Structures are given as C-alpha cells and as structure tokens.
Amino acid sequence: ELMGIAGRVSVRSVDTTPESPSVVLDVEGDDLGVLIGRRGDTLTALQYVLALLVQRRLRRWVRVTVDAAHYRDRQEAVLRAKALRTAERVQRAQTPIALEPMRPSERRIIHLTLSNHPYVTTHSIGVGAERRVVVSPRA
C-alpha cells in the first residue's frame, strides 16, 4: 500500500517448527512488475526488510518468503529445468560445467534438484556475487 501498488497479500503457508519457523506470502494483482524488479531484485529487497521486521517483532529468526504473481515459483521451475538440462550435458560430455553466478537461494535449488542424480554431483565455487554452481560427472 505504501509503495502505491494495488495488490492483495495472502499467507500461502506457515511452519511453526521450532528449528525452522517460516512463512510464505503471496502478492496477487495487476502490474506487479515494479514490485518484482529486475531479476527479482526489488522482491528480494522487500523480502529482506520484511524478514527483519518480523524478526524484530517476534524476537526470533523466521524465514520469510514473498512471492509476487508466482514469480518465484516460475523462476524455481526454470532453475530446475536448467539443472536437469545441464546434468544431461555433463553426463554426455563427461566434463564439468560451471553455471553463471547465482544468488544463494538459486544455487540451493540447483544443488537440491541434482542432489540424488545418479550421474552428476554439484559444488559451488567463487566468492560473493561471483559464486556459481559447478555440475560435474560423478566419479
């Protein structure tokens, strides 16, 4: 509302597990592109600020995820597909492939998608904004 964006916020899920409490919020509406930002940067910043506010209010760590117009869901599907395509290429060529630098949450999706793959393994290299996933043939 304060950003001047017409949208509805709903709670998709809440996990009150003491070890990893979390909440996922969905924002629905028209023209949410400004809320998402370039490559999801604005959405990530909003999510970060909201997480700080929630943690300050509750006085404990809570994972907060904000998704606008199912952007994060679509991006996760794209990353999973990319991981599987890369695994196929690595399996055929028997040579490691380094993906482009990614955010930690994006790297995590790649690692999880390929964690049980019978022919490839993953690890991260690099530092900071240049950190990337390498998909290698399993020994």
Side-chain angles (χ1 to χ4, degrees), residues 57-139:
R57 169 72 60 90
L58 298 179
R59 298 183 190 269
R60 62 185 287 204
W61 180 86
V62 176
R63 178 183 301 275
V64 176
T65 304
V66 180
D67 195 359
H70 301 286
Y71 172 80
R72 292 201 191 281
D73 293 337
R74 290 191 312 271
Q75 286 305 106
E76 183 173 331
V78 165
L79 286 170
R80 287 185 188 281
K82 178 182 216 139
L84 294 173
R85 281 192 316 273
T86 303
E88 287 175 18
R89 289 177 47 210
V90 167
Q91 185 179 345
R92 272 192 315 256
Q94 287 297 299
T95 184
I97 295 176
L99 299 175
E100 72 278 358
M102 296 180 189
R103 293 187 182 112
S105 59
E106 295 171 333
R107 290 193 311 270
R108 184 172 188 272
I109 291 167
I110 302 290
H111 289 304
L112 288 173
T113 300
L114 299 177
S115 64
N116 294 320
H117 196 284
Y119 303 110
V120 301
T121 185
T122 63
H123 66 279
S124 293
I125 61 169
V127 217
E130 289 301 312
R131 196 148 172 87
R132 61 187 70 225
V133 175
V134 176
V135 181
S136 303
R138 203 174 278 278

Side-chain angles (χ1 to χ4, degrees), residues 29-47:
D30 298 326
D31 300 325
L32 293 178
V34 69
L35 180 63
I36 295 168
R38 184 175 166 265
R39 294 195 69 226
D41 288 342
T42 306
L43 190 59
T44 298
L46 175 67
Q47 179 176 292

